[in-house]
Amino acid sequence: MDQVRVIATIPTNHKRLLGVACVGGAEAWIYGNNKTITHIDIHGTVRDTVTTTCLSCPGGISVSKGGELIYSDYFSGTVNIVRDGKSETLIIAPQGWTPWRLCCTRSRDILVHVYKGIGPQSKHKIIRYQRQNIKQEINKDGQGNRILKDGGNRLFMSENNNGDVCVSDLNADTVVVVDNTGKVRFRYNGTQARMEKSFAPRDIVTDALSQIIVADINNNCVHILDQNGQFLRCVEDCELKNLSGLSVDSEGRLWVGCGNGEIKVIKYLRQS
């Protein structure tokens, strides 16, 4: 669309919102800095609440293709699925690695960002699980070089329609996109957008058109790229601040979590 517009501003009970995962066309699971995950609709009405096994808060949440809520518990090193309001362990991270952000793919795999160590020396990789089995690890290219930079920041990722895994590498301030064989297709560092401040990617999602949508917390905006990494536009006129969660609903609308606990629902596609 030539003019994006906010169609809803949803208040939540969170002073600090950490993640958003849409369910269908007008609902989402959200979480903040506590151990509960809340199911809300586009009007802000609470539909359900799940108390997780986490000591403080989940590391990440996602919704499976079948509509089931999945979350990571970084203290126990597990990825859990919620069934009938109760948590069941789905995946145990490899020994020494801590699970954080999650992405349920269209092929029903689960991508899990795991890290090892603390601070600048912390190592990162993304593991693709097919049920409980490791199907792929994304951390080195064909020459043995690390794809993801060491550092103390956690990563965000999403899978595109073509099977590409799109990663916000916060330690490199870069989006890196890897094909289904593990080969790096391209990197995006924000320079095409010509923003005032340096690019600082955080949450990342992909939509039905295989567009890559990434939150930029330094510039309080959202960058939209095509599937080949070409910059298309920025969404920046929607009073977005302290971005902390991105998801796309089944109607093709973008849900953007903000640090003040609000969610902005943005219409940005002509056909949505």
Side-chain angles (χ1 to χ4, degrees):
M1 292 177 65
D2 296 328
Q3 286 292 111
V4 299
R5 58 188 177 94
V6 176
I7 62 166
T9 298
I10 308 169
T12 74
N13 292 325
H14 295 292
K15 291 182 179 177
R16 186 179 174 214
L17 194 64
L18 296 179
V20 179
C22 288
V23 185
E27 298 178 9
W29 288 99
I30 63 172
Y31 75 103
N33 207 14
N34 59 42
K35 61 173 65 178
T36 61
I37 306 174
T38 307
H39 188 181
I40 63 167
D41 65 20
I42 200 168
H43 305 293
T45 304
V46 175
R47 297 298 188 91
D48 195 7
T49 299
V50 169
T51 301
T52 68
T53 58
C54 305
L55 290 179
S56 60
C57 64
I61 66 173
S62 189
V63 175
S64 73
K65 195 172 182 180
E68 294 172 305
L69 175 65
I70 294 173
Y71 69 90
S72 66
D73 181 343
Y74 49 89
F75 284 104
S76 66
T78 60
V79 174
N80 305 296
I81 188 167
V82 178
R83 291 183 172 132
D84 298 323
K86 296 181 179 180
S87 299
E88 300 175 15
T89 299
L90 194 62
I91 293 165
I92 300 174
Q95 188 170 2
W97 292 87
T98 300
W100 200 258
R101 297 292 174 170
L102 306 171
C103 172
C104 293
T105 74
R106 294 170 179 83
S107 59
R108 299 184 185 273
D109 294 341
I110 301 175
L111 300 174
V112 183
H113 163 234
V114 295
Y115 68 94
K116 177 192 287 187
I118 298 173
Q121 306 307 316
S122 184
K123 308 290 185 189
H124 303 269
K125 63 182 176 180
I126 292 168
I127 302 177
R128 180 188 295 274
Y129 285 92
Q130 192 171 53
R131 299 184 178 89
Q132 286 81 16
N133 302 314
I134 294 176
K135 186 176 177 182
Q136 181 187 23
E137 291 192 4
I138 299 171
N139 64 343
K140 292 183 180 179
D141 63 18
Q143 286 72 46
N145 302 309
R146 288 190 176 276
I147 294 171
L148 305 169
K149 188 176 179 180
D150 295 350
N153 292 312
R154 313 296 180 243
L155 312 185
F156 298 82
M157 67 274 169
S158 182
E159 187 183 76
N160 221 339
N161 286 335
N162 58 3
D164 287 348
V165 177
C166 310
V167 184
S168 272
D169 186 348
L170 285 58
N171 298 301
D173 287 331
T174 300
V175 171
V176 56
V177 175
V178 178
D179 69 16
N180 55 17
T181 69
K183 181 181 178 181
V184 176
R185 285 195 62 220
F186 60 86
R187 298 177 189 268
Y188 172 80
N189 63 10
T191 55
Q192 291 169 287
R194 298 178 180 175
M195 302 303 291
E196 182 179 341
K197 297 179 181 178
S198 61
F199 181 53
R202 292 298 186 268
D203 291 84
I204 189 168
V205 293
T206 55
D207 66 15
L209 301 179
S210 292
Q211 295 179 142
I212 301 164
I213 305 166
V214 58
D216 177 355
I217 64 163
N218 270 3
N219 294 288
N220 291 318
C221 71
V222 174
H223 298 233
I224 302 179
L225 320 175
D226 71 14
Q227 63 182 330
N228 298 312
Q230 292 300 306
F231 172 74
L232 299 176
R233 70 170 302 163
C234 273
V235 176
E236 54 185 329
D237 300 326
C238 300
E239 297 183 3
L240 304 177
K241 292 184 179 179
N242 301 318
L243 308 186
S244 56
L246 284 184
S247 193
V248 175
D249 65 22
S250 61
E251 301 295 317
R253 300 173 299 199
L254 182 65
W255 292 49
V256 184
C258 297
N260 63 358
E262 288 184 343
I263 297 170
K264 305 275 189 180
V265 181
I266 298 172
K267 188 171 182 179
Y268 70 101
L269 295 174
R270 284 193 185 89
Q271 60 269 47
S272 65

